[in-house]
Amino acid sequence: MSAAGEPRRVHGYCALCWSSCGCVSVVEDGRLVAVEPDPDHPTGQALCAKGRAAPEHVYSDARELYPLKRTRPKGDPDPGWQRISWDEALDLTANGLRRVIERAGAEAVAFAITTTAGTAMQDGYLFIERLRHAIGSPNAAVSMELCGFAKMFVHGFTFGTPQPPPDVAHSDCIVLWGHNPSHTWLALATRINAALRRGTRLIVIDPARVGLATKADHWLRLRPGSDGALALSFAHVLIEEQRFDAEFVRTWTNGPFLVGDDDGRCVSEADLYEGGDPAVRVGWDEVRGQAVTYDPGAGQWARADARPALFGRYMLQGVRGTIACRPAFDLYAALCARYEPARAAAMTWLDATQIEAAARAIGSGKAVSFSTWAGLEMHSNTTQTARAIGCLFALTGCFDARGGNVAFDKLVVGDVLGADLLPAEQRAKTLGRTERPLGPEGIFGWINTDALYRAVLEREPYGVDALVGFGLNMLVSHADGERGARALAALDFMVQADLFMTPTAHYADVFLPVSTPWERDALKTDFVVDQWASATAQWRPAVIEPRGEARSDVWIAFELARRLGLSEHFWNGDEDAAWRALLAPSGIDLDALKRAPQGRVTRPLATRYRKYAGADGTAAPGFATPSRRVELFSETLQAHGQAPLPEYVEPLMGPAARPDLAARFPLVLTDTKSSHFIHSQYRHVAALRRHEREPRVHLHPDTAQARGIGDGDDVELSTPHGSVRLRATLNAALDPRVARASYGWWQGCAPLGLAGYDAENDAGANLNRTIANTDADPVGGCVPHKSYLCEVRALVPRGARGGR
């Protein structure tokens, strides 16, 4: 309780991104005046500039604060927005959705939900998805193919689980691969910095020397999209120099499974004996010099003292004759040998000595942790690249080991997502599910925008007529923005819940104003980054009243549910009852949590390492994979027509795969999220915008000079799909063959007198208009935003610049 006249200090956490940094909000006379880090919080050791700029964000004149409805046709450049009441807005929305559902079924309604990793959507995501499931929509565009597919899905093909966080407090070697936590996960970055002060070695693999790359023992500036070749080369060095954990590979991976030469499939007991079990696999026992079977159900070899071979060629007598076969690990080692450092160096634009040195640093580590993210997601070869990195990590034997990547024990919470509300026959209709059954579509109904646009415009495989948008600015944050605009214009009905009138929201029939995190209550039960954080739950109260008539995403979901006759699935409108349902399995009482000091409770959970060994007696040993082993050889991928080993695939829109286009577009474009902003938002905040006033493309000085481009010159960046106008920045740390630019530009900044950019015009700065939705990863649908061909030219000849 603050003394009279004293500022009120409210403990909570910043919900603007994945890091969820603990913070203290300072309120004077009912107005948010500052946001500061909370060093007593598990994620509060630091707070980024975006979090500190929250007051300017909250009180920005650019926010929309009242419900609006369109009064003019979508073809009109002026929607004719008219302010309306919440009752009218929600009724219009419910009626619009009901009309489409009655005519074409719930599958004709799609949702578009902004990322929980890089926005404040973490506050309301669960209940928006619950609304989708209750309505019966099998389609949600949630950006998983751009941010999270490799971590959440591909990692599972190898280890049976999403990628756990790195236990950096105990690591002696940390590998950051396509991940810059200084800009995207500050709580992790602060822990890595602490580890570096203790002497931990750091390897950073990134085309740009940004963030922690400046502190790395090894920074590898590889060609964008060639990560898979580098991972295989690292693995080759580890195997060739015997720097890998052979005992882990032998005991806990399917590397010993024998694979037939003739069909490239794992040999089964049914291949050896009449009546044999086709699910039982076969290895070669070096102790007895004969075949030995492995039962994946029990997770055990038939003989406990068997020593399954990792290398060699064996001839087995089977029911249909002799079977020539080799261990899967031998095949993996042979694959890696094709990428010895000298060859991989040419493919990755690195030096062979760099590759060898970094590989040896990994191989000599006793506690190695990996952290990967969006730098690996946005390529046409994401799946096999992530598989190659996963298999490389398996060689260290550090999975779920102290100092490796660890699944910290966390609070058990209730499932309020409501997936059970969506009938199986509806889930089967998910757009893209047939093409990508192993992707986000096949499991969660998370579609990509290409599938959405196709359903709207081409009516394939069926038509989508309504879109419920919660914050996703797809025309700027996703590829093929021009096609996206045509799709949005063709919708029968669209509602957008957002803080700003984005280029995407411009196409809505109804606009619903959303509150900022400082204007609404929320609850978080896992702060992820270490055991302390994972054992913590926090109630975050609203620190100020909402501006205007803005409301939380949760409130909007509950109110729409009520108008659609779905309140029984939403605790009859009682939000606290929903939070209680979430907390119930944890044993934490909601009211007690609200009363707790700083609204925070930490349970005394202890980290159990190497849980796959089943040492605690609560679970059978093994991994959550079909073989109960780390799968270096993925039979799941093989069954779906994909390579079972992590074969390197060249980027489909890269110089090696498309030499015909590379002649005209010789540079490799890699787009990035700006460190100053949040995806396509926050450019209206003067405190941030003054550090990056306009959209830029970074070029090496030699690259710029060859094109007659000077630092600060206006340029056109073009790809085979489109063009934009940017300003050149010279960056000697870049490879001369790379152009680096950031997406998300549309907002103006009134306090600095900076105008916005037309997101639908070649003269604008919407980088994602230059990226096509084609040439995507076959498993996850990932689009190559980070490995695309481009060219950059000066817009004004140097001699005509008048001495500029």
Side-chain angles (χ1 to χ4, degrees):
M1 182 71 68
S2 301
E6 289 293 316
R8 186 165 57 94
R9 300 176 62 81
V10 184
H11 291 263
Y13 58 90
C14 175
L16 295 180
C17 79
W18 173 263
S19 193
S20 301
C21 297
C23 65
V24 178
S25 298
V26 184
V27 180
E28 293 182 0
D29 298 324
R31 186 178 179 88
L32 179 69
V33 296
V35 181
E36 303 168 351
D38 180 0
D40 294 328
H41 192 284
T43 59
Q45 288 71 42
L47 193 65
C48 76
K50 290 166 284 191
R52 291 179 182 273
E56 190 174 344
H57 174 58
V58 169
Y59 297 109
S60 170
D61 290 338
R63 282 182 61 187
E64 298 291 345
L65 300 176
Y66 301 95
L68 303 169
K69 72 174 180 181
R70 170 184 294 274
T71 62
R72 295 180 181 173
K74 289 190 180 181
D76 196 313
D78 179 6
W81 292 117
Q82 180 183 104
R83 179 178 167 180
I84 56 177
S85 69
W86 267 107
D87 280 337
E88 183 179 359
L90 293 168
D91 285 341
L92 284 171
T93 300
N95 291 335
L97 298 179
R98 193 178 291 112
R99 181 176 67 248
V100 169
I101 293 170
E102 290 174 353
R103 183 184 70 239
E107 63 270 22
V109 175
F111 277 61
I113 312 170
T114 191
T115 173
T116 58
T119 73
M121 182 46 65
Q122 59 176 289
D123 283 354
Y125 173 75
L126 294 174
F127 302 108
I128 295 167
E129 278 279 47
R130 188 178 185 88
L131 177 65
R132 172 174 77 90
H133 292 142
I135 286 174
S137 169
N139 301 308
V142 299
S143 309
M144 182 55 61
E145 78 280 7
L146 302 182
C147 178
F149 171 68
K151 286 171 66 73
M152 286 193 65
F153 289 81
V154 182
H155 198 266
F157 296 142
T158 307
F159 293 97
T161 178
Q163 185 183 95
D167 183 20
V168 298
H170 303 110
S171 300
D172 59 24
C173 179
I174 300 168
V175 182
L176 296 179
W177 204 319
H179 184 201
N180 180 11
S182 298
H183 294 168
T184 58
W185 192 356
L186 194 56
L188 177 60
T190 58
R191 283 160 171 78
I192 292 175
N193 277 309
L196 298 183
R197 291 192 292 270
R198 294 191 301 270
T200 299
R201 288 168 296 168
L202 177 63
I203 299 170
V204 174
I205 301 161
D206 195 314
R209 192 169 184 263
V210 294
L212 286 163
T214 62
K215 300 180 180 181
D217 298 275
H218 303 270
W219 168 50
L220 286 81
R221 189 185 67 179
L222 84 170
R223 171 169 66 100
S226 67
D227 308 75
L230 180 60
L232 292 169
S233 190
F234 280 167
H236 170 66
V237 174
L238 266 60
I239 295 169
E240 184 75 7
E241 298 182 1
Q242 298 184 27
R243 294 175 181 268
F244 70 102
D245 189 336
E247 200 54 38
F248 177 85
V249 171
R250 190 187 314 278
T251 306
W252 292 110
T253 81
N254 70 350
F257 291 5
L258 294 175
V259 178
D261 288 353
D262 59 345
D263 61 2
R265 299 186 179 278
C266 288
V267 179
S268 76
E269 187 182 55
D271 295 318
L272 301 184
Y273 316 112
E274 291 290 353
D277 189 341
V280 169
R281 295 293 169 254
V282 179
W284 185 263
D285 184 0
E286 293 179 333
V287 174
R288 294 172 177 81
Q290 63 185 40
V292 59
T293 58
Y294 171 86
D295 181 359
Q300 295 178 344
W301 294 97
R303 291 187 291 271
D305 63 345
R307 182 176 172 82
L310 294 178
F311 296 96
R313 185 180 180 83
Y314 304 97
M315 309 298 288
L316 306 179
Q317 291 305 310
V319 294
R320 286 176 294 277
T322 301
I323 304 172
C325 50
R326 297 163 65 185
F329 187 77
D330 198 355
L331 295 173
Y332 170 63
L335 170 64
C336 296
R338 288 161 39 195
Y339 297 89
E340 52 84 25
R343 179 171 183 252
M347 302 172 74
T348 59
W349 298 349
L350 297 167
D351 292 328
T353 54
Q354 282 181 290
I355 296 174
E356 291 166 349
R360 288 166 184 154
I362 294 171
S364 62
K366 302 300 181 186
V368 184
S369 61
F370 279 64
S371 188
T372 68
W373 212 322
L376 298 178
E377 308 282 355
M378 300 183 220
H379 301 281
S380 60
N381 56 9
T382 288
T383 297
Q384 293 298 5
T385 291
R387 276 274 293 146
I389 295 171
C391 292
L392 168 66
F393 181 46
L395 296 183
T396 69
C398 292
F399 181 85
D400 208 34
R402 180 181 170 90
N405 286 64
V406 176
F408 298 113
D409 279 18
K410 58 185 179 181
L411 297 169
V412 180
V413 296
D415 181 4
V416 298
L417 197 66
D420 58 312
L421 299 175
L422 184 66
E425 60 269 22
Q426 282 298 103
R427 190 173 298 280
K429 298 175 184 177
T430 298
L431 298 170
R433 182 186 179 107
T434 301
E435 298 93 327
R436 291 179 294 277
L438 297 180
E441 301 92 340
I443 301 174
F444 294 105
W446 294 338
I447 67 173
N448 62 24
T449 51
D450 180 56
L452 175 63
Y453 300 159
R454 187 167 64 251
V456 175
L457 295 172
E458 282 90 50
R459 320 299 288 171
E460 291 290 338
Y462 56 81
V464 166
D465 298 314
L467 184 66
V468 182
F470 278 86
L472 184 62
N473 187 10
M474 63 181 72
L475 298 191
V476 178
S477 295
H478 287 246
D480 219 347
E482 182 177 355
R483 184 163 173 249
R486 286 190 279 112
L488 297 186
L491 287 166
D492 179 67
F493 179 78
M494 176 181 169
V495 58
Q496 181 80 359
D498 217 319
L499 285 82
F500 304 94
M501 187 57 67
T502 66
T504 300
H506 177 83
Y507 284 89
D509 297 283
V510 177
F511 181 93
L512 307 177
V514 176
S515 56
T516 68
W518 284 269
E519 300 166 303
R520 63 189 186 226
D521 300 334
L523 172 66
K524 188 171 180 63
T525 60
D526 181 8
F527 288 85
V528 181
V529 72
D530 60 15
Q531 185 56 76
W532 177 24
S534 289
T536 297
Q538 185 165 31
W539 175 259
R540 194 195 71 224
V543 299
I544 57 172
E545 290 295 317
R547 289 187 61 207
E549 294 180 4
R551 296 292 183 266
S552 73
D553 300 292
V554 175
W555 182 88
I556 293 170
F558 273 61
E559 285 296 310
L560 283 176
R562 181 168 68 85
R563 282 168 169 78
L564 290 167
L566 301 170
S567 275
E568 62 179 307
H569 301 305
F570 281 77
W571 298 271
N572 294 314
D574 185 346
E575 290 184 31
D576 272 6
W579 294 123
R580 288 190 176 93
L582 179 73
L583 283 175
S586 74
I588 297 174
D589 177 75
L590 178 64
D591 294 327
L593 181 62
K594 290 181 178 181
R595 293 192 302 267
Q598 303 174 5
R600 195 166 70 235
V601 169
T602 300
R603 290 294 198 212
L605 302 180
T607 301
R608 295 176 295 121
Y609 294 113
R610 300 188 188 275
K611 291 178 281 297
Y612 57 82
D616 64 349
T618 62
F623 293 79
T625 60
S627 67
R628 299 194 64 80
R629 291 289 183 266
V630 174
E631 299 199 340
L632 304 178
F633 186 100
S634 174
E635 293 187 74
T636 299
L637 285 171
Q638 186 180 50
H640 286 81
Q642 303 300 317
L645 292 171
E647 295 182 2
Y648 174 62
V649 182
E650 276 287 340
L652 294 177
M653 190 53 77
R658 296 300 306 269
D660 56 323
L661 292 176
R664 290 186 294 126
F665 302 96
L667 301 177
V668 176
L669 169 64
T670 186
D671 80 0
T672 64
K673 181 172 70 173
S674 170
S675 64
H676 299 110
F677 312 119
I678 297 177
H679 295 293
S680 68
Q681 293 189 15
Y682 259 54
R683 285 167 178 79
H684 64 292
V685 176
L688 303 174
R689 186 66 174 271
R690 62 172 52 100
H691 298 291
E692 191 174 350
R693 296 176 68 91
E694 65 273 309
R696 290 179 172 264
V697 56
H698 292 248
L699 302 170
H700 189 278
D702 294 347
T703 306
Q705 183 178 31
R707 290 159 174 76
I709 296 170
D711 193 38
D713 284 355
D714 292 326
V715 299
E716 179 186 73
L717 183 151
S718 59
T719 74
H721 190 65
S723 62
V724 288
R725 295 187 178 184
L726 308 170
R727 186 157 291 177
T729 291
L730 305 190
N731 185 343
L734 274 182
D735 189 288
R737 293 161 285 189
V738 169
R740 179 173 175 262
S742 64
Y743 68 94
W745 289 88
W746 66 274
Q747 276 182 307
C749 183
L752 296 181
L754 298 175
Y757 297 85
D758 187 344
E760 299 184 33
N761 193 299
D762 285 351
N766 182 2
L767 190 67
N768 283 336
R769 292 185 77 253
T770 72
I771 308 294
N773 259 323
T774 53
D775 300 316
D777 179 83
V779 179
C782 308
V783 179
H785 294 262
K786 293 187 178 294
S787 49
Y788 213 77
L789 293 174
C790 78
E791 178 59 299
V792 181
R793 70 175 182 88
L795 284 175
V796 180
R798 178 165 291 182
R801 291 176 190 143
R804 177 179 171 184

